[in-house]
Amino acid sequence: RAETCGSIFTDFRRVRETGRQKIPFGIAQIGKAFRNEINPRNFVFRSREFEQAEMEFFCHPSASAEWFEHWRELRLRFHRDLGLGEHELRVIPHTTLAHYAKAAVDIEFLFPFGWQEIEGIHDRGSFDLTQHAEFSGKDMSVTIEETKERFPPAVIETSVGVDRTALALLCSAYAEEKLPDGETRTVLRLAPVVAPIKVAVLPL
């Protein structure tokens, strides 16, 4: 499938100039993604159409390792804040990297059927912007005003499966508890940050 983040890289210069952004800054998006799955399987883990949220964070190449660690910790905290337990999450470094990547990790959740990835964080280096500049003829470099240094930014990418995260929330919140009378009941203990609104007071 085409990379859904491709539009962020092609629009990088326009967004930076119209938004008057300085490095470091990020561009995030959420929406439908598609892939050419020959044999869809494993429920939401191998589907042809799914909901994806991602961010490309542009920074100085010398600071990419520091920003990679920052986003790794921040994204892990995000899932914990949603109510996923410490014992239900783990971070797995990639043993083999894509040719452009400097570092990559997956955040995995312990589903009832085993560990599965719900988010990936990658240090993509300057590969995407330099490739786009080379084949489009458009310079994607930025200039630091104070030092006049000019360079193509490095990119830290976070990409989370929204459907997978919703399933993880349901699995984590599902509980069976014994009542004093010996009966068993099933409850859904969602964290307050994602729990449905029980009462709404609206003006006429």
Side-chain angles (χ1 to χ4, degrees), residues 34-53:
F34 306 91
R35 67 181 153 211
N36 186 23
E37 281 292 345
I38 305 301
N39 183 24
R41 61 197 183 281
N42 294 347
F43 194 34
V44 297
F45 298 95
R46 280 290 172 263
S47 55
R48 292 188 177 122
E49 180 179 328
F50 54 98
E51 196 79 11
Q52 186 177 18

Side-chain angles (χ1 to χ4, degrees), residues 174-189:
Y174 178 87
E176 292 180 353
E177 62 179 25
K178 290 267 189 182
L179 298 175
D181 62 5
E183 291 290 319
T184 301
R185 71 173 184 174
T186 302
V187 293
L188 197 64
R189 291 196 178 94

Side-chain angles (χ1 to χ4, degrees), residues 1-7 32-36 50 52 54:
R1 69 181 173 89
E3 284 282 0
T4 55
C5 61
S7 59
K32 284 290 182 194
F34 306 91
R35 67 181 153 211
N36 186 23
F50 54 98
Q52 186 177 18
E54 58 196 348

